[in-house]
Amino acid sequence: MHQTVKTIFRLFFAGIIFLITLALFLSIFSKSREILQADQTFQQAEQISLTSTPNKQLVLVSNNQRPDQAIYIVIAQNGYIAQLHCEHYLNDICTDEYNQSHTRQIQQLELLKIGQYQYIQQVSYQDSRTQKRQQWSYSKQQIQQFFQADISDLKYSLFSMTLFALAALYVSIRIIRNFKKFISG
């Protein structure tokens, strides 16, 4: 009985290692394709326009503190509809003054969706505390620079993922080579 449980556990463990290895290589393939097609993806960018209504009030929330650096476009009392990288907007939208505050009520917002990434192209909002109106606009060239920076970060992630996948492949090959010994061990 003890040997059977041990054998089943080792088979299960080997299966998990093989699945993780496969998932890593599929992720590498997917991310590599994303990097290679970045220019084409940028050309096919989709523009999304959002406007606040009395029934659907949009709020701009940002957090510039790690590890949760992000900008959220939130429907008041209903959760967020978009999450963006904060690092591109550290000088204007993602500031300490508005860190994690829900006071910026959006009047008009235009997002540019490029593949899995979203960028603010234009936003106008009013601070509910001070009644101060603010508007920010970003050119197509600025957004392209933001996108290229994100693709560059993706290259570094892909490199580390490749190293991890190669280690997982090595372990998988070792298990397959000595499968009987691994199962009975």
Side-chain angles (χ1 to χ4, degrees):
M1 178 72 175
H2 175 65
Q3 188 63 28
T4 306
V5 172
K6 193 175 180 182
T7 303
I8 291 172
F9 174 76
R10 287 178 178 250
L11 280 171
F12 181 72
F13 188 63
I16 288 175
I17 290 172
F18 296 148
L19 283 174
I20 289 172
T21 303
L22 179 65
L24 282 168
F25 278 101
L26 287 174
S27 296
I28 288 170
F29 173 74
S30 166
K31 297 302 178 189
S32 297
R33 224 172 114 205
E34 189 176 329
I35 290 169
L36 292 173
Q37 295 178 348
D39 291 333
Q40 180 183 356
T41 305
F42 184 78
Q43 298 303 323
Q44 298 171 347
E46 176 186 347
Q47 190 162 354
I48 301 168
S49 294
L50 300 169
T51 306
S52 285
T53 63
N55 297 340
K56 186 177 84 174
Q57 180 63 47
L58 299 173
V59 179
L60 184 65
V61 180
S62 63
N63 180 16
N64 62 3
Q65 304 298 314
R66 292 195 183 270
D68 299 327
Q69 272 189 321
I71 297 172
Y72 297 95
I73 310 303
V74 178
I75 298 176
Q77 310 300 325
N78 270 337
Y80 69 93
I81 56 174
Q83 178 182 2
L84 302 101
H85 292 285
C86 196
E87 65 231 17
H88 305 305
Y89 306 99
L90 288 173
N91 295 329
D92 36 35
I93 294 174
C94 215
T95 61
D96 288 335
E97 177 185 357
Y98 291 109
N99 209 29
Q100 297 181 357
S101 99
H102 290 73
T103 60
R104 293 180 285 184
Q105 297 175 339
I106 298 171
Q107 272 87 44
Q108 179 70 31
L109 173 72
E110 291 190 23
L111 294 173
L112 197 62
K113 184 172 176 16
I114 306 170
Q116 69 175 358
Y117 300 100
Q118 297 181 43
Y119 302 96
I120 295 174
Q121 195 167 26
Q122 186 272 332
V123 63
S124 60
Y125 60 84
Q126 180 175 350
D127 188 330
S128 61
R129 291 177 299 177
T130 63
Q131 303 306 314
K132 178 183 169 187
R133 293 183 183 269
Q134 190 73 40
Q135 183 169 347
W136 300 103
S137 295
Y138 302 92
S139 68
K140 194 91 163 177
Q141 290 78 20
Q142 286 176 302
I143 293 174
Q144 186 171 18
Q145 289 172 350
F146 297 163
F147 180 63
Q148 288 172 343
D150 287 339
I151 293 296
S152 180
D153 289 345
L154 184 60
K155 289 177 185 177
Y156 292 117
S157 298
L158 181 65
F159 178 72
S160 60
M161 192 184 310
T162 302
L163 291 177
F164 192 62
L166 290 174
L169 181 64
Y170 174 76
V171 170
S172 296
I173 290 172
R174 294 285 301 203
I175 289 172
I176 291 171
R177 265 192 181 164
N178 302 320
F179 195 70
K180 286 186 180 181
K181 186 177 178 182
F182 179 78
I183 295 300
S184 63

